[in-house]
Amino acid sequence: MRALPVGDRALLVEVSTDEEAQALHADLLRRRAEGSLSVREIVPAARTVLLDGLEDPPRLAAQLSGTRLPSVPPPVAEVVEIAVRYDGPDLADVAELWGVSPEEVARVHASADFRVAFCGFAPGFGYLTGLPARYGVPRRATPRTTVPAGSVGLAGPYTGVYPRSSPGGWQLIGTTDAVLWDHARVPAALLSPGTPVRFVPVDS
């Protein structure tokens, strides 16, 4: 684990894996909640966690350098269920990559317990982990200029749901009517880091 200064009041903490980033994020949230850490923002990413609004970044950096990361704690939030139709245009391609039938892709994906590792790309877009490593897939060689809102896609080890229409290069395996981002809702994002997620198959 390495802590790098970002300006006068922030640290970027680098770790080796996304699981370590999730564990560190959860531990920092716990420390802030119990009052042993004063920080304004804690923002996880794939292999980093940004801490902004620190009173003494060098002191915390020294503390973190000797810290042993705990395991990722079990989720405390309620599971968010997302109904999905496994009808995506890349479903057959993913099935071929996995060496299974399209129906098996749907079964495997829907049986996994997902967790939001971090958010980004667009408001409401969560990067979900939970599929075994053998089911990782590459991004499309040629990204689409437009991916419809509600598209469920795979890229590398992640699953994601497009909250709005946008360009994208993920392998699309399904669609959902779930609203990922609604500025009139509190909170606006359906998903946040650490949220457990389960995909529930529905008929087209």
Side-chain angles (χ1 to χ4, degrees), residues 13-21 44-49 118 157-158:
V13 185
E14 297 180 337
V15 293
S16 300
T17 67
D18 59 357
E19 185 172 273
E20 289 182 352
R47 291 179 178 83
T48 62
V49 179
F118 58 97
Y158 301 112

Side-chain angles (χ1 to χ4, degrees), residues 111-175:
S111 65
D113 292 321
F114 290 93
R115 184 184 185 122
V116 182
F118 58 97
C119 297
F121 170 62
F125 189 95
Y127 290 76
L128 280 61
T129 57
L131 282 175
R134 66 181 179 275
Y135 294 124
V137 298
R139 294 171 183 262
R140 288 174 51 84
T142 303
R144 293 180 170 90
T145 57
T146 303
V147 175
S151 295
V152 179
L154 307 179
Y158 301 112
T159 290
V161 182
Y162 285 77
R164 64 186 184 194
S165 177
S166 66
W170 290 38
Q171 307 278 359
L172 307 181
I173 62 169
T175 54

Side-chain angles (χ1 to χ4, degrees), residues 71-93:
S71 300
V72 179
V76 295
E78 289 188 16
V79 176
V80 172
E81 293 191 344
I82 297 178
V84 57
R85 298 175 293 275
Y86 287 96
D87 57 1
D90 301 319
L91 183 62
D93 292 339

